[in-house]
Amino acid sequence: MTTHIGGCHCGRVRFEVIAPEILTVSDCNCSICSKSGYLHLIVPKSRFKLLSGSEALTTYQFNTGTAKHLFCSTCGIKSFYVPRSHPDGFSVNARCLDGGTIREVIIAQFNGKEWEKQYPTGRGPEFEQ
Ligand SMILES: [Zn+2]
């Protein structure tokens, strides 16, 4: 595990996330992720820390309202948010991590378009503690 640093484009939103050097991320085909090209690195709340920019974040919600899509109100970039699959954690956009701490990124396809088929219980697997 290592500490990766990331943030939005303008620099108001900055965060750190504890994750492996080899990241496994999800490329989701749902209505919002496919438009933004978001790559999900999902972590428990305990492994994420917002360093700055809480006042810059705008929340967008749709459909079930479980996910809280957090955008920087200045530059429009969604660098992290609260995902529907893990409302008790965060999804960090691997595209928004600074370079230098990542050895490799493994991309797994995720069929968010057919959510109920992927997650019949309504959410993703529980975090291992
Ligand atoms: Zn910004």
Side-chain angles (χ1 to χ4, degrees), residues 22-78:
I22 298 174
L23 299 176
T24 301
V25 302
S26 303
D27 181 5
C28 177
N29 65 359
C30 85
S31 63
I32 190 163
C33 297
S34 60
K35 288 199 175 194
S36 64
Y38 198 101
L39 289 180
H40 300 258
L41 170 65
I42 295 175
V43 297
K45 279 204 164 91
S46 58
R47 280 165 48 194
F48 178 88
K49 191 171 150 201
L50 186 62
L51 301 174
S52 69
S54 62
E55 75 294 341
L57 294 168
T58 293
T59 304
Y60 172 61
Q61 290 171 279
F62 65 98
N63 195 5
T64 65
T66 310
K68 290 176 178 51
H69 301 275
L70 303 170
F71 298 84
C72 172
S73 57
T74 297
C75 68
I77 295 297
K78 183 170 87 170

Side-chain angles (χ1 to χ4, degrees), residues 68-110:
K68 290 176 178 51
H69 301 275
L70 303 170
F71 298 84
C72 172
S73 57
T74 297
C75 68
I77 295 297
K78 183 170 87 170
S79 54
F80 77 98
Y81 79 111
V82 179
R84 181 179 173 187
S85 67
H86 295 85
D88 53 342
F90 288 106
S91 169
V92 167
N93 189 349
R95 296 189 193 277
C96 292
L97 294 174
D98 300 351
T101 54
I102 301 168
R103 190 134 51 98
E104 194 185 336
V105 178
I106 299 162
I107 298 175
Q109 301 303 314
F110 179 76

